[in-house]
Amino acid sequence: MRGGRTARPRPRTGWGAVRPWLLRTGAALAVVVAYFLLPLDNLGPERPVLSWALFTVLLTVVAVLLLRQIRHVLLDRPDSRPGVVISLLIVLSVHVFSAAYYSLAKSPGEFHGLRTRIDALYFTVVTLATVGYGDITPRGQAARVVTMLQITYSFVFLTAAATALTTRMRTMVVRRPERDRSR
């Protein structure tokens, strides 16, 4: 503390400003590459217990990490990096649901129109955006349950995370002129 004030971290310049964007982009790219390279064909009706267990664990881990980031924003922790972490967790949650849909589509009667990983990713994004074109439809009970879970998950976790992130960004924008005036 200097002069009775709490020291704020200095704004990043140069490499320090670019590094978080590179890390975020690299991590998001790694998630996308992993989605296309992981042996998802070994999941689904061949191994239902493993499939559901992986889906549940991954979704729970992402939810807990999102809640942790939301807490950091609400507590205004200056050392946290919600912009990097929250956006990566959103990308990860999209791919977890997409992998679940792809695996579920291996079971006859679960989906109409979902055959490839791109189809699964497309359906996940369309569901997340609440667009619902109707070209891919969940027909089976398990597919409908996972789709309802994705909608609920998006409303609760992703909306809260996006709100926390925009709150943090708004706070940073408001504080910037205050810092400039105090110099």
Side-chain angles (χ1 to χ4, degrees):
M1 285 186 25
R2 286 181 266 155
R5 283 191 209 160
T6 305
R8 293 262 179 214
R10 286 191 226 171
R12 294 165 198 238
T13 57
W15 175 247
V18 173
R19 188 171 172 238
W21 289 98
L22 288 175
L23 287 172
R24 182 184 329 171
T25 303
L29 186 61
V31 169
V32 173
V33 168
Y35 169 73
F36 285 103
L37 294 180
L38 286 173
L40 298 177
D41 292 324
N42 295 334
L43 298 174
E46 301 297 320
R47 294 187 178 98
V49 174
L50 177 62
S51 300
W52 286 107
L54 273 173
F55 175 67
T56 303
V57 167
L58 287 171
L59 212 52
T60 301
V61 167
V62 172
V64 167
L65 292 173
L66 280 169
L67 289 173
R68 183 171 178 238
Q69 288 302 309
I70 292 166
R71 191 177 111 223
H72 286 200
V73 170
L74 292 175
L75 295 175
D76 197 22
R77 291 187 53 177
D79 60 330
S80 68
R81 306 188 58 89
V84 174
V85 180
I86 288 175
S87 55
L88 178 60
L89 291 171
I90 290 172
V91 168
L92 186 58
S93 67
V94 165
H95 284 84
V96 168
F97 278 106
S98 185
Y101 293 137
Y102 180 73
S103 297
L104 274 171
K106 302 294 180 204
S107 296
E110 285 296 333
F111 275 99
H112 172 72
L114 196 155
R115 290 177 184 80
T116 67
R117 292 178 197 231
I118 295 286
D119 290 343
L121 191 54
Y122 164 81
F123 178 73
T124 305
V125 171
V126 166
T127 301
L128 178 64
T130 68
V131 177
Y133 294 124
D135 52 344
I136 298 175
T137 53
R139 296 260 171 105
Q141 297 303 299
R144 289 179 178 180
V145 166
V146 174
T147 303
M148 288 187 298
L149 182 61
Q150 182 194 350
I151 293 166
T152 305
Y153 187 91
S154 297
F155 280 149
V156 174
F157 294 103
L158 299 186
T159 302
T163 301
L165 188 56
T166 55
T167 299
R168 177 64 166 262
M169 291 172 73
R170 189 178 308 121
T171 302
M172 288 173 61
V173 168
V174 168
R175 284 183 184 159
R176 186 169 293 144
E178 291 173 3
R179 276 195 304 243
D180 293 342
R181 279 189 294 233
S182 66
R183 290 183 187 179

